[in-house]
Amino acid sequence: MMSGWSVIRIATILVYLFLFAPVAVVILLAFNANQFGSFPIEGFSFRWFEALWNNDAIVRAFKTSLLLGVLTAAISTTLGTLAALAMVRYDFPGKRTISTLLVAPILIPEVVLAVALLLFLQFLSMPKSFGLLLMGHVVFTLPFVVLVVQARLVSIRRDVEEAAMSLGATPVQTFFEVTLPLMLPAVMAGMLFAFTISFDDITGTLFWKPGGVETVPTQIFAMLRNSISPEINALGAVMVIFTIALPLVAASIARVMAMRKVGASK
Amino acid sequence: MADRQNAVELHNVVKRFGEFTAVKRIDLTVPDNSFVTFLGPSGCGKTTTLRMIAGLTDITEGDLLIRGKRVNSLPIHKRNLGLVFQNYALFPHKTIFDNIAFGLKYRKVSKANIADKVNKALDLVQLPHVADRYPNQLSGGQQQRIALARAIVIEPDVLLLDEPLSALDANLREEMRVELKRIQRELGVATVFVTHDQSEALAMSDKLVVMNNGFVEQEGAPEEVYNNPASAFVADFLGHSNIIQANLGSPDAAFTQVALESGETLLTTDEQTAKAKNSKDVRAVIRAEKIDLSEENRATDGVISIPGKVKTVDYLGQQARYFVEANGRDWQVINPIDAHPHKEGADIFMHIAARNCVLLPGHQD
Amino acid sequence: MAADVAGARRTPWVLLSPSLATISLLLIVPMLFIVVYSFWLRTATGADQVGFYLDNWIEVLGDRFYRDILFQTLLIAFYTTVICAFVGYIPAYFVANTRMKSKAFLLLLLMLPFWISYIIRTMSWINILGTSGALNTLLISIGIIDDPIQMLYNQQTVVLGLVHYLLPFMILNVYVSLDGIDKNLTEAAQSLGCTGFQAFREVTLPLSMPGLAAGSLLCFVLAAGTYITPIVLGGPRDAMFANLVFEAIVTQLNWPLGSALSLVLLALLGALVVIYTRYLGIDQIAKSFK
Amino acid sequence: MDDTKRYERLLNRYRDRDINRRTFLTALGAAGVVAGVTGGPMGMLARKAMAATPEQVRFDGWGGVVSEAFEKYAFAPYTKKTGIEVVSGTFGGADEYIARVKASQPGEFNLAHLSGVFDYARYHGLELTSELNEDNIPNLKNVIPTLVEPLRKITGGTISAVPYDYGTTGIAYNRKYISDDEAKAKGAKLMVDEAYKGKIGGWGEWKTRIWYGAMQSDQDPNNIQDIEAVWDMVRAHRDLALKYWSSGAELMSLLAEEEIYVTEGWSGRIKALQDQGHDIGYLDPAGGLGWQECLFVLRGSPMAACEELLNFMLEPEVAIAVAEGQSYPPALDPQKIELGEVIPTLPAFDPSGTLSSLSFFDPAYWNENEADWSKTFSRVQRGY
């Protein structure tokens, strides 16, 4: 008879398989020579990667998504970190309400958020712009950053900051010299979160993007209207590799930093 | 030359957190070069007071003076204080050198001078070889020394120590206590030390401030506070005392009689009687270690003996604590253990000298 | 110098103001605007008639159709949440309790599906479950079945897609609360005579409830708001409420009606969040993002 | 080297059949990439974010191969020639696009590749139509008149768009399971045949569903007498269908992977499937459903620049290249223009240039019922 723990281990492996099955299929089919990107696989080929590379629209969309994701991550991490600092380090009236408010964007269905903002803009007679798209992304990535950074900030002891100030650092200097380096892992995680959510977003982007701006998901969406092509799988594979590489690189950077901290003498 | 300056003065300082008043009107001075200890149970307001001096907590009412200047709303980073925390609060992401150099950097000290000062500080705390390590590579005691080095290297006006020894184990604590006192002497910096450990407080302080419930119960030299507690709280918090309701009797030749509630009569000095003469009720305070136990009655002039029976004995190393029943009342007695300690159930006599019977005015709470 | 003290009181608001300004301007104000819009009326040409009409609300609240779809949406969200809770608990428990050194790596792996395009992830189920998909091909080649089984395009596949999308949220939440439980507690329970499973039921499970609840809330809200999954993986009938919102606004250009529909969905999910905040606290969600 | 001259030399060589289409495309594409790279991503975005200025026009299309065809054969050369930049975007569907236009400022969107006369009428209803100066579009005379007339009727004599291509939505079936004879015999009713339960597909668009519902209940789709009978057919189809598809890609993959055996389909997509070797039959039933796509100019656009682009896109070389790229015949009249060898083989191609064999959505009739029917369909679709 199997022990309970073995059952749990096997079940865990199964859940992991479930989570990765679609990813594996996407990567597999990206190398399929078959026209429809379906099983059975009829031969190994790089043709879809080649097609992808030659597809200007996708390459452009990829650049846009990258830029959008990076800017979104930068802005929403900055805003979110400040907000998290306020929430963790200070007590003030209405804190509970504000805490709910900061999380609200992930609790409102995105299609509702998208439509509301669109209607509001039209009312203001404001044209859509890349800036608006960016701010839209910032709004719904903000809660994730706030939550991640907040959780981490709680575990940073306040006395380290007090020590810095007692030694003559101003609050701002203290933040950059002590607090920020200590919460960097959470800030990075929040940034990564914001980046990928932005990179992956379709609903809001469809509504908010100004003309001529396509992100990878909207480009995929448009491609689906007119052509089915394993290019989409190749694109998926590239994105998977790209997105897997990012956290892995981040993790190894974190490890190198940790190693340096622990040093050789231990 | 001017008068001897006070490093820190608190005048009528009050701290409220919302409805709760943590510090209820405190008046205190920390003289230059002195080692002042705030002693009290947790929640007594001692840490809050320290944090107000540091500038980590703002003051609700009253004035705070550092070196004669009112600094109530001066932010912490402009106060030039050395602060040592209970959990060291070393920067985990900086080397020991950078930790100690931190304050110097913000004082615009030149690079060469920084290195020089840091090395001197490391020498002072007797850890000259750890500059390149990170805090998590040091033991607790070493981290505490570094925290101290970091606080003193900036040559602070006042050194503030917030229960700096409580995270250390017993032996190390003893060692650091001596070390801390040595360094303080060497530097001559005015020091405020917060602790709930009475032995630390008694051993280290020039001046002891006993706090309770947001008030200063008593301040003074350690031996004075110890021998002559101003309140039942102080008597009980510092060491173990027997506090018994009593009535003052008529003055004898050299002593005054004190009739205890439990029936015995003790003697006390005129000095004590003077303290209580305006009060209807008095309490007699007899420290547990000031009672002499023996199997024979050794009453002499000025020493009363009370017969009793040993109920329990706790061995505390070189001492033993006895609970002695006399007239239906339990007394606590702490005596050194001689060749043969008293056994449970033994009939013994408690001897109490007149000078060891301290009187407090007022009624038992 | 007194300004510094006042400054300390102002600091949190200074720190919060960029976020609050962003959220107010891009979320609160537009939401209020949508409330106004829901009282307008769509005319025959597609233009909007400004005014105060209750027509949209009468239609949305009075029509069984919307109620039924709403119910179906909540049902799908409920199934998704329950499955996520059951399926997600196990790996969370494993990662929290494993003595393997690669705990962080296991967590990172769990997070990875987050980093993969939602559309592609959803669509790839077609390649797995389709008539000529991986699963059917496999089953036929090892001789379990002779003809492909029709697995796609029904409510189950919609739930499957949603579970796949939301599982990491659940696992993360449960993991955080499981990781915070003092291992001594289960040992104490066992020393008092519980079997391993009883100790789990008496100690671990109740203590992990907050994480489970936070994960469930996120799963439920996110599931109830989706519209792409039912389009890609659903059959003709499998629509969710967000699809109606999308249709009203995009296909029928009936923005006032779409606004009213949006608000119904929002009100319902909002109520859920308020109830949750009241009894469990939003902080629990915060905890899960350590 | 002067880019304009290079382009013209390329075009001439292409006209002289000196280089083939692929080479032509590659050369133009390379020019486009150079322009894109030197523009830089930020500059590109900043300019795109603004409303169109006379230096540029906004064009929105379907994306995928169609947009690629447009960019390579029409926009890049046009920009080289005129210096006016064409900012091109894509939309996922006509409905999504009209929603975006409705929420935009005048001038934000200029040109769009829109489907059908019906949408043209919708845009007119939203007062989004403009008035083209036909003198600036000499190539308009080559366009099939029956495609232009319905547009004129809606906008009172003037036009706001030029027809560009056309196609049909016919019945596509898998020959492995359904013979040509059976398809011909059953026609539209093939899609409500119990025998193929679970193997039937259909477009999840209300107009098409109602049109086919009318055919299945033997009514004239442009004059439905018994709408309940139509809804019954829509319901019957819904219950037999496996999936409503919502994109050309889905249509193709459903048929190619044999998830479904029969559906209605877009002629160009089915042609593409056949070219890839799938044994798919395609049938336009009697009174088959035709549609046209036009290049629409929205109110508030820089008219002269737009008109010049339209004229350029109607150049036979450009129109034919685009048509071959997307497998839909161009709107050019085969009686006036030599369309080459490929175009006549495209499904729905009408060599007579009259399109008299096809039926189109009567815009007035369908617009009148739009609000009602689209909403009802939304319900029927979900089981009501």
Side-chain angles (χ1 to χ4, degrees):
Chain A
M1 167 128 177
M2 266 195 298
S3 75
W5 185 247
S6 321
V7 175
I8 290 171
R9 195 203 315 257
I10 289 167
T12 302
I13 293 170
L14 289 177
V15 173
Y16 272 80
L17 285 181
F18 168 69
L19 283 173
F20 286 98
V23 180
V25 164
V26 166
I27 296 180
L28 214 59
L29 289 178
F31 296 99
N32 187 3
N34 176 324
Q35 172 71 24
F36 280 99
S38 62
F39 288 96
I41 287 176
E42 289 174 0
F44 182 85
S45 148
F46 278 110
R47 61 187 275 211
W48 304 118
F49 289 94
E50 214 181 303
L52 183 71
W53 183 249
N54 290 322
N55 187 332
D56 294 351
I58 281 285
V59 173
R60 228 175 17 237
F62 196 80
K63 279 190 207 156
T64 308
S65 276
L66 215 56
L67 182 70
L68 183 63
V70 167
L71 290 177
T72 300
I75 296 175
S76 100
T77 307
T78 309
L79 297 191
T81 304
L82 292 178
L85 270 174
M87 297 307 288
V88 175
R89 286 286 184 257
Y90 296 91
D91 255 316
F92 48 90
K95 195 167 166 178
R96 221 184 157 74
T97 315
I98 294 205
S99 153
T100 312
L101 205 62
L102 285 171
V103 186
I106 41 173
L107 298 176
I108 296 174
E110 204 183 329
V111 65
V112 177
L113 187 60
V115 166
L117 192 51
L118 196 74
L119 296 186
F120 179 54
L121 271 190
Q122 201 211 4
F123 171 76
L124 291 183
S125 305
M126 253 170 65
K128 276 178 287 193
S129 65
F130 185 74
L132 167 81
L133 179 59
L134 180 60
M135 284 324 284
H137 277 219
V138 166
V139 163
F140 65 73
T141 54
L142 191 60
F144 290 96
V145 178
V146 173
L147 292 174
V148 173
V149 177
Q150 217 173 320
R152 173 75 189 198
L153 207 52
V154 171
S155 67
I156 295 177
R157 286 209 325 269
R158 183 81 172 115
D159 58 9
V160 183
E161 294 169 359
E162 292 175 346
M165 287 194 279
S166 78
L167 293 169
T170 64
V172 174
Q173 287 165 334
T174 301
F175 175 78
F176 282 104
E177 274 245 34
V178 177
T179 318
L180 189 60
L182 289 179
M183 63 183 192
L184 207 59
V187 172
M188 296 296 277
M191 215 182 256
L192 222 52
F193 235 130
F195 176 82
T196 42
I197 288 169
S198 158
F199 199 88
D200 195 18
D201 179 72
I202 170 100
T203 309
T205 311
L206 267 182
F207 279 88
W208 297 332
K209 72 192 170 92
V213 173
E214 301 290 342
T215 65
V216 171
T218 64
Q219 186 64 34
I220 292 175
F221 210 54
M223 277 168 77
L224 290 178
R225 295 269 154 184
N226 277 277
S227 66
I228 177 108
S229 161
E231 256 180 276
I232 292 173
N233 288 330
L235 178 65
V238 169
M239 278 166 69
V240 165
I241 290 158
F242 179 74
T243 48
I244 284 179
L246 256 186
L248 283 184
V249 167
S252 52
I253 288 173
R255 189 171 310 158
V256 169
M257 282 166 69
M259 294 267 284
R260 215 183 54 192
K261 200 176 292 176
V262 175
S265 64
K266 203 162 191 181
Chain B
M1 195 188 123
D3 294 340
R4 191 178 145 99
Q5 213 181 11
N6 282 323
V8 180
E9 289 172 44
L10 291 125
H11 297 303
N12 290 320
V13 167
V14 176
K15 176 64 195 176
R16 275 189 287 270
F17 295 103
E19 299 282 287
F20 172 69
T21 307
V23 172
K24 304 162 181 163
R25 214 159 285 286
I26 280 187
D27 265 298
L28 262 187
T29 55
V30 177
D32 224 356
N33 300 330
S34 67
F35 194 111
V36 176
T37 302
F38 295 178
L39 176 68
S42 50
C44 71
K46 60 186 191 298
T47 297
T48 306
T49 308
L50 180 97
R51 290 177 65 86
M52 285 193 286
I53 298 172
L56 292 168
T57 302
D58 51 342
I59 296 170
T60 313
E61 270 175 43
D63 293 314
L64 169 67
L65 282 73
I66 294 181
R67 297 217 161 275
K69 267 190 293 191
R70 186 174 182 277
V71 294
N72 275 30
S73 38
L74 191 69
I76 172 171
H77 58 272
K78 293 181 183 158
R79 288 194 186 186
N80 196 32
L81 301 166
L83 197 48
V84 177
F85 294 83
Q86 190 170 358
N87 295 307
Y88 328 130
L90 296 178
F91 308 126
H93 58 300
K94 290 180 184 289
T95 62
I96 299 305
F97 184 93
D98 289 339
N99 261 281
I100 298 177
F102 191 94
L104 298 173
K105 206 170 68 183
Y106 285 102
R107 283 168 175 75
K108 307 267 178 335
V109 177
S110 74
K111 277 242 167 69
N113 271 338
I114 287 181
D116 191 43
K117 282 174 189 257
V118 170
N119 287 331
K120 277 199 183 124
L122 282 170
D123 285 341
L124 189 65
V125 297
Q126 301 178 332
L127 286 172
H129 304 299
V130 298
D132 295 332
R133 301 204 202 156
Y134 282 90
N136 63 0
Q137 296 169 271
L138 301 184
S139 71
Q142 288 173 320
Q143 291 188 40
Q144 191 55 273
R145 284 164 193 253
I146 299 304
L148 184 62
R150 184 178 66 177
I152 58 180
V153 77
I154 58 172
E155 293 162 23
D157 291 336
V158 186
L159 184 60
L160 302 173
L161 309 168
D162 185 10
E163 309 217 12
L165 307 180
S166 64
L168 303 175
D169 59 46
N171 290 335
L172 208 50
R173 200 181 309 170
E174 200 96 357
E175 191 185 309
M176 276 302 291
R177 189 196 284 179
V178 175
E179 187 74 11
L180 199 55
K181 188 69 187 161
R182 172 184 70 81
I183 291 168
Q184 193 265 338
R185 282 268 155 72
E186 224 162 285
L187 297 171
V189 60
T191 302
V192 178
F193 180 82
V194 161
T195 185
H196 61 264
D197 183 319
Q198 47 155 321
S199 54
E200 261 171 40
L202 291 169
M204 300 170 80
S205 319
D206 298 328
K207 178 173 169 181
L208 194 57
V209 178
V210 183
M211 295 183 68
N212 183 35
N213 205 13
F215 285 113
V216 173
E217 292 270 346
Q218 188 174 6
E219 56 171 297
E223 58 279 10
E224 182 197 328
V225 175
Y226 185 85
N227 288 328
N228 208 349
S231 69
F233 173 81
V234 177
D236 209 31
F237 191 77
L238 277 179
H240 301 278
S241 296
N242 299 284
I243 303 172
I244 304 162
Q245 201 65 44
N247 287 307
L248 274 185
S250 52
D252 207 340
F255 307 108
T256 308
Q257 286 199 331
V258 182
L260 301 183
E261 196 183 43
S262 52
E264 299 86 352
T265 302
L266 296 181
L267 296 176
T268 190
T269 57
D270 289 346
E271 188 192 346
Q272 294 294 331
T273 316
K275 275 201 313 193
K277 71 175 179 226
N278 292 328
S279 176
K280 190 163 156 279
D281 297 310
V282 294
R283 281 162 295 165
V285 177
I286 306 105
R287 290 207 166 276
E289 60 275 26
K290 298 278 165 88
I291 301 175
D292 223 12
L293 285 190
S294 66
E295 278 159 20
E296 60 278 11
N297 188 338
R298 289 193 296 215
T300 56
D301 188 26
V303 179
I304 296 282
S305 81
I306 300 169
K309 189 191 265 291
V310 175
K311 264 176 78 186
T312 53
V313 185
D314 294 342
Y315 295 97
L316 310 170
Q318 291 149 329
Q319 291 181 316
R321 177 161 57 171
Y322 299 90
F323 286 90
V324 178
E325 191 186 329
N327 272 346
R329 190 179 203 291
D330 278 352
W331 293 65
Q332 270 192 71
V333 181
I334 294 174
N335 270 195
I337 300 174
D338 332 329
H340 40 85
H342 306 285
K343 295 278 185 304
E344 286 180 16
D347 290 316
I348 42 90
F349 292 92
M350 298 184 286
H351 300 92
I352 300 164
R355 66 175 186 283
N356 289 330
C357 177
V358 177
L359 293 185
L360 293 175
H363 199 270
Q364 190 120 27
D365 298 322
Chain C
M1 273 303 161
D4 277 330
V5 177
R9 229 166 288 135
R10 231 174 25 230
T11 313
W13 297 105
V14 172
L15 294 174
L16 278 169
S17 56
S19 301
L20 290 184
T22 310
I23 288 179
S24 310
L25 202 68
L26 299 173
L27 185 100
I28 309 291
V29 176
M31 289 317 290
L32 292 177
F33 196 70
I34 236 183
V35 174
V36 175
Y37 223 101
S38 72
F39 291 102
W40 295 5
L41 209 55
R42 190 224 180 192
T43 60
T45 55
D48 300 312
Q49 174 97 46
V50 179
F52 186 80
Y53 302 93
L54 290 171
D55 301 42
N56 298 310
W57 285 103
I58 290 167
E59 183 178 344
V60 169
L61 298 176
D63 195 326
R64 255 199 64 207
F65 171 68
Y66 294 114
R67 251 180 315 201
D68 288 357
I69 298 280
L70 193 60
F71 181 72
Q72 184 175 323
T73 302
L74 297 180
L75 204 63
I76 288 178
F78 176 74
Y79 289 149
T80 305
T81 307
V82 170
I83 294 172
C84 277
F86 276 104
V87 176
Y89 202 99
I90 300 165
Y93 186 86
F94 178 83
V95 178
N97 290 293
T98 184
R99 275 186 287 272
M100 286 165 71
K101 285 197 86 177
S102 47
K103 217 170 184 170
F105 181 69
L106 284 176
L107 268 186
L108 187 72
L109 274 185
L110 274 177
M111 295 288 297
L112 271 184
F114 268 125
W115 315 124
I116 287 145
S117 174
Y118 170 45
I119 295 193
I120 294 183
R121 233 187 315 162
T122 308
M123 293 220 329
S124 58
W125 284 110
I126 296 171
N127 291 318
I128 297 175
L129 300 177
T131 318
S132 52
L135 196 56
N136 268 317
T137 312
L138 180 75
L139 290 178
I140 291 172
S141 70
I142 58 175
I144 290 181
I145 53 169
D146 294 327
D147 292 308
I149 308 172
Q150 183 58 57
M151 289 180 268
L152 272 178
Y153 310 124
N154 47 50
Q155 191 168 313
Q156 288 88 302
T157 42
V158 174
V159 172
L160 178 94
L162 286 175
V163 166
H164 187 262
Y165 167 46
L166 296 169
L167 201 52
F169 286 93
M170 179 64 85
I171 295 177
L172 209 60
N173 275 284
V174 176
Y175 165 77
V176 168
S177 64
L178 279 175
D179 202 43
I181 297 173
D182 187 348
K183 298 285 178 295
N184 289 334
L185 291 177
T186 42
E187 283 163 12
Q190 280 171 310
S191 76
L192 294 170
C194 285
T195 64
F197 179 73
Q198 284 167 331
F200 169 79
R201 202 187 55 201
E202 295 280 341
V203 177
T204 312
L205 187 60
L207 288 176
S208 64
M209 259 349 238
L212 204 56
S216 300
L217 180 76
L218 273 182
C219 283
F220 192 92
V221 170
L222 292 175
T226 45
Y227 81 99
I228 288 184
T229 309
I231 291 180
V232 178
L233 293 178
R237 287 191 190 193
D238 297 314
M240 292 176 70
F241 205 74
N243 294 76
L244 298 184
V245 176
F246 195 82
E247 258 167 40
I249 287 179
V250 172
T251 311
Q252 298 160 14
L253 283 187
N254 193 341
W255 291 2
L257 180 67
S259 301
L261 286 171
S262 300
L263 289 170
V264 168
L265 186 57
L266 177 61
L268 208 74
L269 295 178
L272 202 71
V273 174
V274 168
I275 293 168
Y276 175 88
T277 318
R278 174 143 236 162
Y279 291 105
L280 288 156
I282 208 89
D283 299 341
Q284 191 55 41
I285 301 182
K287 263 192 178 170
S288 66
F289 285 94
K290 234 175 215 163
Chain D
M1 190 197 285
D2 184 341
D3 284 342
T4 312
K5 283 206 184 105
R6 175 163 37 177
Y7 158 71
E8 275 169 0
R9 270 216 316 278
L10 274 174
L11 184 62
N12 285 334
R13 285 175 69 194
Y14 176 58
R15 277 176 172 155
D16 300 341
R17 298 286 187 264
D18 186 24
I19 52 173
N20 63 23
R21 194 161 65 88
R22 183 163 291 275
T23 315
F24 179 56
L25 179 153
T26 312
L28 289 179
V33 168
V34 171
V37 169
T38 50
M42 257 332 258
M44 173 184 92
L45 293 167
R47 261 174 291 145
K48 275 176 185 169
M50 290 184 301
T53 64
E55 288 77 42
Q56 64 174 37
V57 291
R58 254 304 291 282
F59 183 92
D60 290 271
W62 290 87
V65 285
V66 186
S67 281
E68 280 164 41
F70 279 0
E71 295 222 4
K72 281 161 188 163
Y73 300 112
F75 303 156
Y78 170 79
T79 302
K80 291 283 171 291
K81 192 178 156 196
T82 62
I84 298 174
E85 193 193 351
V86 180
V87 177
S88 89
T90 61
F91 46 76
D95 293 329
E96 179 214 314
Y97 183 68
I98 198 172
R100 271 158 56 187
V101 171
K102 192 184 164 191
S104 70
Q105 309 302 312
E108 198 177 326
F109 294 95
N110 306 142
L111 282 152
H113 186 198
L114 294 180
S115 61
V117 182
F118 174 80
D119 272 346
Y120 185 90
R122 268 175 111 190
Y123 279 82
H124 186 58
L126 290 173
E127 297 175 358
L128 291 167
T129 43
S130 62
E131 193 177 312
L132 291 176
N133 181 354
E134 293 174 36
D135 294 340
N136 291 336
I137 315 172
N139 284 329
L140 186 62
K141 66 179 186 301
N142 296 329
V143 172
I144 300 174
T146 48
L147 291 176
V148 185
E149 282 324 303
L151 305 184
R152 280 195 204 289
K153 218 156 83 187
I154 291 167
T155 33
T158 64
I159 50 172
S160 173
V162 296
Y164 202 60
D165 52 67
Y166 63 94
T168 57
T169 305
I171 297 158
Y173 51 95
N174 190 323
R175 284 212 178 94
K176 223 197 287 184
Y177 302 98
I178 298 169
S179 70
D180 289 339
D181 292 339
E182 185 185 353
K184 203 158 274 172
K186 290 181 179 165
K189 286 178 185 155
L190 194 54
M191 288 192 296
V192 283
D193 193 326
E194 289 278 353
Y196 300 111
K197 183 173 165 62
K199 284 293 167 188
I200 295 170
W203 188 13
E205 190 238 19
W206 64 274
K207 291 204 302 292
T208 305
R209 291 263 57 78
I210 293 172
W211 180 284
Y212 270 88
M215 304 233 296
Q216 284 150 358
S217 60
D218 300 311
Q219 302 188 61
D220 175 1
N222 279 328
N223 185 18
I224 294 170
Q225 300 301 315
D226 182 358
I227 187 69
E228 274 316 309
V230 173
W231 292 128
D232 284 343
M233 279 302 163
V234 174
R235 287 190 188 99
H237 171 261
R238 172 201 71 203
D239 292 338
L240 297 173
L242 171 68
K243 170 92 181 145
Y244 285 148
W245 48 266
S246 57
S247 69
E250 244 184 320
L251 162 65
M252 289 167 78
S253 103
L254 284 168
L255 276 172
E257 294 181 25
E258 301 187 2
E259 290 283 349
I260 57 171
Y261 301 151
V262 60
T263 177
E264 69 279 313
W266 298 332
S267 52
R269 303 288 113 222
I270 304 306
K271 163 77 175 155
L273 274 176
Q274 289 166 345
D275 287 349
Q276 286 158 11
H278 292 277
D279 194 11
I280 304 293
Y282 184 75
L283 170 77
D284 274 322
L289 174 54
W291 39 264
Q292 61 151 297
E293 290 188 309
C294 58
L295 300 175
F296 192 96
V297 180
L298 289 156
R299 168 161 299 180
S301 302
M303 296 309 289
C306 290
E307 284 153 2
E308 190 174 359
L309 180 59
L310 291 187
N311 193 50
F312 188 83
M313 289 180 76
L314 285 173
E315 287 287 348
E317 285 84 1
V318 176
I320 290 169
V322 170
E324 287 178 7
Q326 61 167 342
S327 296
Y328 290 112
L332 300 178
D333 193 337
Q335 304 294 336
K336 295 178 190 158
I337 303 289
E338 171 56 48
L339 293 176
E341 287 156 23
V342 181
I343 301 296
T345 68
L346 294 177
F349 176 71
D350 182 353
S352 70
T354 59
L355 303 180
S356 53
S357 64
L358 298 176
S359 311
F360 292 85
F361 286 110
D362 176 352
Y365 179 70
W366 286 83
N367 257 323
E368 178 188 319
N369 291 301
E370 184 249 319
D372 204 18
W373 288 359
S374 68
K375 210 187 249 171
T376 309
F377 173 67
S378 163
R379 280 150 204 252
V380 169
Q381 181 187 355
R382 267 119 215 176
Y384 284 75

